[in-house]
Amino acid sequence: MVGRVSTREQLIRRLGEFAERGNLGKGLAALTEYVGATHYLLARYDLSQDEGLDFVVCSDWPFDVVKRLAKVMSGLHSKTNELEKCLSVLQPCFMSLPDDVDISRGISREYCSITFNVGRVRLSLMLLFPTDVILSQESVRDVGLLTAYFASFANERSVRSDRDFDLTERELECLFWIAEGKTSDEIATILGISRNTINNYITSVMRKTATKTRSEAIAYAVRNNLV
């Protein structure tokens, strides 16, 4: 839990604490909660022309939705000229998820995207939100500014090596197969070991990569070329 924040001042204070620890996920979760959204996806907009998942910086969106969104972002990027890209900075944009994407009940099929720069890097914060919530463009723009501020400091603090951890060959195998959409039972059959052992490997992967779900672990692995 990130701890609920009710005022802008409290949020800024918490973001400072998370930035000191290099904890990007908790900071984004606090920003998401503050604006009334449910899920966040921070993306490298300048990498979204590729159809892979290298553009994902940090996310708690369902992995299959992120994977489908990659193709959407790639198409949008190719249709946008440089002037439009510049004018889009800090301008909230509401877009609809593709019809073939399954989303949890109570979550709007619209998502909000706001683009900003951190140095020379262009990023987009994309938010899912409840169906009964109307996001204020002003508050979303404010959160975009705070995200840019937070991401710049968090990035400086987290310049620790991406290889602070070492995944074993078995852990990498499990990571590969969950990225392929296999269940623990299926991976156990493939590798010829028990389901409990598979779950232990996956738990170890999430601990070493500081991720909370299989989807987050897969996204992390893709960003770091582990699968």
Side-chain angles (χ1 to χ4, degrees), residues 211-226:
T211 53
K212 296 180 180 178
T213 66
R214 294 189 180 201
S215 295
E216 287 184 14
I218 294 166
Y220 188 99
V222 170
R223 289 198 307 275
N224 290 278
N225 298 314
L226 298 178

Side-chain angles (χ1 to χ4, degrees), residues 91-97 108-114 127 129 133-140:
Q91 295 300 319
C93 177
F94 291 83
M95 306 178 70
S96 296
L97 291 169
S108 174
R109 294 197 65 82
E110 272 197 328
Y111 65 95
C112 178
S113 175
I114 184 167
L127 301 170
F129 50 95
V133 167
I134 300 175
L135 296 185
S136 157
Q137 290 212 8
E138 182 179 350
S139 63
V140 173

Side-chain angles (χ1 to χ4, degrees), residues 21 32 45 52 59 192 199 207 216:
R21 303 170 196 160
T32 301
Y45 186 78
S59 172
N199 286 334
R207 176 180 57 80
E216 287 184 14

Side-chain angles (χ1 to χ4, degrees), residues 7-169:
T7 68
R8 192 174 189 274
E9 290 71 25
Q10 288 177 323
L11 175 62
I12 291 173
R13 186 169 61 251
R14 294 304 301 278
L15 291 178
E17 294 171 2
F18 294 137
E20 283 290 331
R21 303 170 196 160
N23 200 324
L24 186 60
K26 285 191 175 181
L28 292 172
L31 285 157
T32 301
E33 181 186 78
Y34 179 77
V35 79
T38 58
H39 296 78
Y40 63 84
L41 169 63
L42 185 62
R44 280 282 300 270
Y45 186 78
D46 53 335
L47 296 182
S48 62
Q49 67 269 28
D50 301 323
E51 291 196 7
L53 292 176
D54 290 343
F55 69 92
V56 178
V57 176
C58 190
S59 172
D60 66 352
W61 283 37
F63 178 73
D64 56 335
V65 180
V66 178
K67 192 173 182 180
R68 180 66 179 86
L69 190 67
K71 295 182 179 179
V72 175
M73 287 186 66
S74 176
L76 289 173
H77 191 283
S78 63
K79 296 175 183 177
T80 307
N81 61 43
E82 287 305 314
L83 177 60
E84 290 172 329
K85 290 172 185 175
C86 291
L87 292 175
S88 70
V89 173
L90 292 178
Q91 295 300 319
C93 177
F94 291 83
M95 306 178 70
S96 296
L97 291 169
D99 292 337
D100 59 349
V101 169
D102 291 325
I103 199 71
S104 299
R105 180 176 297 179
I107 302 297
S108 174
R109 294 197 65 82
E110 272 197 328
Y111 65 95
C112 178
S113 175
I114 184 167
T115 304
F116 55 89
N117 291 335
V118 175
R120 296 183 178 180
V121 177
R122 180 159 295 180
L123 298 163
S124 288
L125 176 65
M126 286 173 276
L127 301 170
L128 293 175
F129 50 95
T131 52
D132 58 350
V133 167
I134 300 175
L135 296 185
S136 157
Q137 290 212 8
E138 182 179 350
S139 63
V140 173
R141 190 179 296 111
D142 190 33
V143 164
L145 283 168
L146 290 173
T147 304
Y149 157 81
F150 169 65
S152 63
F153 283 98
N155 184 60
E156 290 177 8
R157 291 290 180 176
S158 63
V159 181
R160 65 181 189 276
S161 169
D162 287 337
R163 302 289 179 173
D164 278 350
F165 59 89
D166 288 313
L167 296 182
T168 66
E169 287 300 317

